[in-house]
């Protein structure tokens, strides 16, 4: 069973308002033994208001981990509000 999700790549990064970020967000899922887990669905969630962005127009997106335990988000585009924020992977 998954016991931890960590950032693999894509953080930190920045983008101008209303433009796409240069790299996707990638989360690493591991079990209690620190082994990567394949086939796990990861949900990426951006803030619902203020500085944020969207995955193809949606505040959330899902991706399934590969054999290395990595889930890669679709392209993420900043919204029209400047500021720092976090996208959460669960």
């Amino acid at each position: 069973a998954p016991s931890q999700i960590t950032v693999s790549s894509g953080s930190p990064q920045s983008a101008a308002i209303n433009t796409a970020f240069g790299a996707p967000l990638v989360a690493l899922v591991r079990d209690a033994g620190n082994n990567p887990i394949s086939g796990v669905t990861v949900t990426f969630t951006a803030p619902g208001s203020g500085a944020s962005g969207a995955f193809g127009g949606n505040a959330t997106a899902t991706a399934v981990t590969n054999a290395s335990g990595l889930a890669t988000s679709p392209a993420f585009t900043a919204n029209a509000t400047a500021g720092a924020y976090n996208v959460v992977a669960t």
Side-chain angles (χ1 to χ4, degrees):
S3 68
Q4 61 178 312
I5 299 175
T6 57
V7 174
S8 176
S9 65
S11 179
Q13 61 179 315
S14 61
I17 61 171
N18 295 320
T19 61
F21 283 82
L25 306 173
V26 182
L28 173 59
V29 179
R30 296 182 184 174
D31 65 16
N34 209 33
N35 303 301
I37 306 172
S38 65
V40 175
T41 299
V42 174
T43 301
F44 295 92
T45 305
S49 63
S52 187
F55 301 96
N58 297 311
T60 63
T62 60
V64 177
T65 58
N66 63 17
S68 299
L70 299 171
T72 303
S73 76
F76 187 70
T77 301
N79 68 7
T81 304
Y85 55 92
N86 292 314
V87 173
V88 178
T90 55

